[in-house]
Amino acid sequence: MSEKHIDELSGVETTGHSWDGIRELNNPMPRWWVWTFYACIVWALAYTVVYPSWPGLTTNVKGYFGWSSRGQLATELTEAQATKAVYLEKIAATPVADILKDEELNRFATAGGAAAFKVNCTPCHGSGAAGGNGYPNLNDDDWMWGGSIDEIYTTITHGVRYTDDAETHASEMPVFGDILSPEEVKQVAAYVYSLSGGAPSDAALVEPGKALFADNCASCHGEDAKGLKDFGAPNLTDAIWLRVDGSEAGIAGQVTKPTHGVMPAWTARLGDTTVKELAVFVHSLGGGQ
Amino acid sequence: MTTNIPSGGGSTPAGNSDQPLYEAKRRVFAKKVEGRFRNFKWLILAVTMAVYFVTPWLRWDRGEYAPNQGVLLDLASRRFYFFPIEIWPQEFYYVAGLLVMAGFGLFLITSAVGRAWCGYTCPQTVWVDLFIAVERFFQGDRNARMKLDSSPWSFDKIWRIGATHLTWLLISVATGMGWIFYFGNAPSVFVKFFTGELPFVAYGTVMVLTFTTYAFGGLMREQVCIYMCPWPRIQAAMLDEQSLVVTYNDWRGEPRTRGAKKAAAAGLPVGDCVDCNACVAVCPMGIDIREGQQLGCITCALCIDACDSVMDKIGKERGLIAYATLEEYDSNMNLATSNRTTSIQPEKVRNADGSFSDKIRHFDWRIIFRPRTLLYIGAWSAVGLAMLFLLFTRERLDVNVLHDRNPQYVMESDGSIRNGYTVRILNMMPQPRTIRLSIDGLPNAVMKINGYPENKGQVYDIPVKPDEATALKVFVTLPKADVSSQAEEMRFIVEDPENGERRVYKAVFNGPGVKK
Ligand code: SF4
Ligand code: SF4
């Protein structure tokens, strides 16, 4: 912009740029506009003084207010905790079955339980609580250790076959491979398979299998094979299989050399309040009794 | 004075090559004027102010479960009330519709009568009008104000200026407060405002609006229109040759002559403009309309009133400054200048006796109804009617269903399949109701709802709270024999047995065969 160019028509100086012969007038701004601009500069400088700004070699200028986004988060978290504390105290003081009766508390506990579930339980039970082979699905109505709110609460509190907790659900299925002959195992498996509507490979195996079941298995799984929750012995007549794929061979394998699930006792880790929330959440999934 | 069209209000000495960095504000001392447009503007000022300040105080009975304020924007519970109409956030398309109507309305008004919004109803114009009236009350009319402005500080000057600014500030605070009444129960907001119980955002809003009202209405005025507002640029682009704009009819005014009689006696051509500057003195924008259409003109028409009274006084026909379309102006101008080949010749537009020639084109109101404006009227009414139709046929009950995706289905111990849904029943009436929720399409399925006694059926009666959404965890179980490998179609139906309102939501039921 070496030369000044004056527009003939308006007598106003142009910016000196020309686009296809069109020039832009350089009309002066109003004074207040200029002052607003200066005020913004002053504001910006002041901003760097009171808020964190200039970078240094190891740290930065912290600013007069000492504000940081981390600090703000901490404040907000503290406030959130304070709001939640009211409910948490109420949950701590309420027996778990009564939480279900209080609509507001129930909603809070379900949401809290869902959050705790995501963090602590999903590795085994899955994010939708649908479980997997060996890990029970918590949505269905099949409960090995009982599906009432109190039973769920007890199970989460003390865990399953968790040696550090004296009150844990401890019972295990014996290794029947040491007790029964392979032929007998086959017979029991055929019988158990038939219980849930399956057609065994050899129908002749079912009768002796039934007798063997009455002698060896009924004490835990019940005469009718519908399971006994005191022992965590599953119902063998229903459509749900946990540790095996539900085939005859799979059943035989579990009888010969059983595998067992283990779950930690959670109260020691999460505290009673969170465990109550977890119980309420699991109970709400659809199978709760 | 040289014209400087782009900035409207400013002027720059011609040929000055040392452009100043900024332009000093030229003070505008608008003179008082009387006339039909001035009266019309007083009326509009009164009506718009009344609408703004009174509306939040109007009551409207909605029963015990909803607020009784006629117009209320309840941000906390996200409800908008407009007399009998209540709008939920998901119905915000009504607001979008209103915006579309505002758009078409603006096109319509602008193409028909130019910048009428700017000149009459824009809050900036209305409040500036009020502030000028205050200024005039304490400091007198144009000449007195100019004198006071240039006089040294004295007690008289201090109290007059002080009183002006104080009144402005009071109006500004009232304006700011007027705004927050729309967002809460006006009477209690009013009381709480003084007891300090309102949230900070309320005080902040009042502070900001007080500041902007005071600064824009009292201090910046025409600067807002010329430099800050995008509207003049947009509106200017929407004008066409048939739009009415405030026009100085130079074909009859020029050559402007101060001593008209003497000049006429001397045989010089004489136009109707006596160069009295009345039109410039009354202009709140501080411009001279005789320089032609310009961005600075908000078409407030006060110069028309000013000039008309001058014309009355000197016994000439009114309308030297008038609302005119560019088309008729051009035609008259061509007449006066023999198609722009000469300068303006007063005798070309006049008969021998001094009356105006028949060839002069006058404004014909039929020009307002031309294809363009009819199109706008059509579009505007179409949107309006569609919204009215929607409004009168809309249901005050709705249902939303969220299908559980994890797990997609659950097998129960008897082999039956269960799907989970979150069903939200929206009761948009300000009364509690009992809504019947049922499923349809799976004859053997049973429904179970968390928190409700199991009834092994397909129908539940759900008590819902007034004006709220009720979320339910619903489980639908299909017996093993009915489970197919297809995703089954089903419907959730909500009904109000009392008034027959009914909404249906199409949902899907998943089973083991369904591809994930
Ligand atoms: S020129 Fe006339 S119409 Fe335009 S702003 Fe001034 S007084 Fe109003
Ligand atoms: S008020 Fe009318 S007569 Fe007076 S200067 Fe303006 S245009 Fe001319």
Side-chain angles (χ1 to χ4, degrees), chain B residues 283-344:
Chain B
C283 179
M285 303 293 291
I287 58 171
D288 185 349
I289 189 65
R290 294 173 301 170
E291 289 166 4
Q293 253 305 304
Q294 51 203 289
L295 187 138
C297 174
I298 56 171
T299 73
C300 65
L302 291 181
C303 52
I304 301 184
D305 279 345
C307 189
D308 277 353
S309 53
V310 172
M311 291 297 116
D312 288 353
K313 242 176 261 163
I314 62 171
K316 294 246 165 79
E317 202 175 312
R318 288 180 165 198
L320 172 51
I321 303 178
Y323 268 111
T325 67
L326 186 59
E327 206 171 52
E328 69 191 67
Y329 168 83
D330 268 345
S331 141
N332 295 337
M333 198 61 181
N334 286 341
L335 188 67
T337 58
S338 311
N339 290 325
R340 316 260 175 179
T341 52
T342 64
S343 60
I344 295 167

Side-chain angles (χ1 to χ4, degrees), chain B residues 39-113:
Chain B
N39 290 343
F40 183 52
K41 273 173 70 75
W42 284 133
L43 179 73
I44 290 189
L45 184 139
V47 170
T48 48
M49 289 269 169
V51 167
Y52 177 69
F53 284 109
V54 175
T55 304
W57 297 88
L58 300 176
R59 302 289 103 181
W60 189 268
D61 184 27
R62 297 187 184 88
E64 57 178 308
Y65 298 104
N68 70 343
Q69 181 156 322
V71 177
L72 177 67
L73 277 145
D74 188 347
L75 293 182
S77 30
R78 281 171 289 169
R79 298 282 181 272
F80 172 55
Y81 299 95
F82 187 83
F83 300 110
I85 305 169
E86 179 188 344
I87 288 183
W88 281 39
Q90 65 265 46
E91 294 178 298
F92 227 65
Y93 47 79
Y94 285 113
V95 178
L98 283 180
L99 288 176
V100 172
M101 282 180 77
F104 280 123
L106 174 77
F107 300 164
L108 172 63
I109 297 292
T110 307
S111 63
V113 289

Side-chain angles (χ1 to χ4, degrees), chain B residues 238-266:
Chain B
M238 282 188 292
L239 295 173
D240 61 21
E241 285 80 1
Q242 281 97 25
S243 311
L244 277 175
V245 285
V246 173
T247 308
Y248 167 68
N249 289 316
D250 43 6
W251 50 266
R252 64 167 273 203
E254 299 296 318
R256 58 186 83 158
T257 318
R258 287 209 174 179
K261 286 214 181 91
K262 235 186 258 169

Side-chain angles (χ1 to χ4, degrees), chain B residues 414-440:
Chain B
D414 61 359
S416 59
I417 297 298
R418 196 185 79 206
N419 276 215
Y421 305 85
T422 304
V423 176
R424 274 165 57 88
I425 302 176
L426 281 63
N427 175 20
M428 305 194 210
M429 275 190 175
Q431 291 97 34
R433 298 202 260 180
T434 300
I435 299 298
R436 183 156 294 166
L437 171 68
S438 56
I439 50 170
D440 180 43

